[in-house]
Amino acid sequence: MDIKTATALRRLRLVSGPEAVSFLLLLVCSVLKRTTDFDAVRTMGWVHAFLFILYVVFWADAWNRAKWPLKTAALYFALSVLPAGGFFAERRLKREAEDAVIASRARREGVVNA
């Protein structure tokens, strides 16, 4: 995995957690708006919209660079529209990055030992 691909995956991973938190907070604000006088839906809506757009842009970049199959790309996109899906995406992306580092080290050691 080259550095640009690793960076694209890292950016997607870093935005997936905050995007999931903002989605959950938006849902809480929506319930509070209907049950109390607290109304932060507009503010949380803008925050979530900004983070969701970042997620989609970073997702498209990661898909392009990592050359994911359509099934993998669709999974990461579907996780972005589920309330807690960003947490699962972050965990899977972290595992994918760790596997890539291990594979890279193994290739490097194989070249050095050969």
Side-chain angles (χ1 to χ4, degrees):
M1 178 181 304
D2 65 343
I3 192 72
K4 290 183 179 183
T5 304
T7 302
L9 292 175
R10 183 170 185 268
R11 277 193 310 245
L12 180 60
R13 193 179 121 229
L14 289 176
V15 79
S16 65
E19 190 272 336
V21 169
S22 73
F23 195 175
L24 292 173
L25 287 174
L26 180 60
L27 292 176
V28 169
C29 288
S30 190
V31 169
L32 288 174
K33 177 182 178 180
R34 284 153 181 77
T35 59
T36 67
D37 292 333
F38 184 76
D39 185 10
V41 172
R42 180 176 298 237
T43 304
M44 278 312 304
W46 280 104
V47 170
H48 176 66
F50 175 74
L51 290 171
F52 180 74
I53 290 168
L54 274 180
Y55 185 95
V56 170
V57 168
F58 293 161
W59 166 80
D61 185 39
W63 182 12
N64 182 42
R65 293 187 186 280
K67 306 291 189 242
W68 287 329
L70 182 59
K71 184 178 178 181
T72 302
L75 172 69
Y76 283 122
F77 186 80
L79 287 174
S80 74
V81 297
L82 297 174
F87 299 124
F88 296 108
E90 192 274 333
R91 195 173 353 177
R92 285 181 59 98
L93 287 163
K94 183 177 181 182
R95 194 174 324 125
E96 188 175 329
E98 289 170 350
D99 291 347
V101 167
I102 291 169
S104 175
R105 287 181 183 162
R107 279 194 304 271
R108 206 172 351 160
E109 289 174 4
V111 171
V112 172
N113 292 334

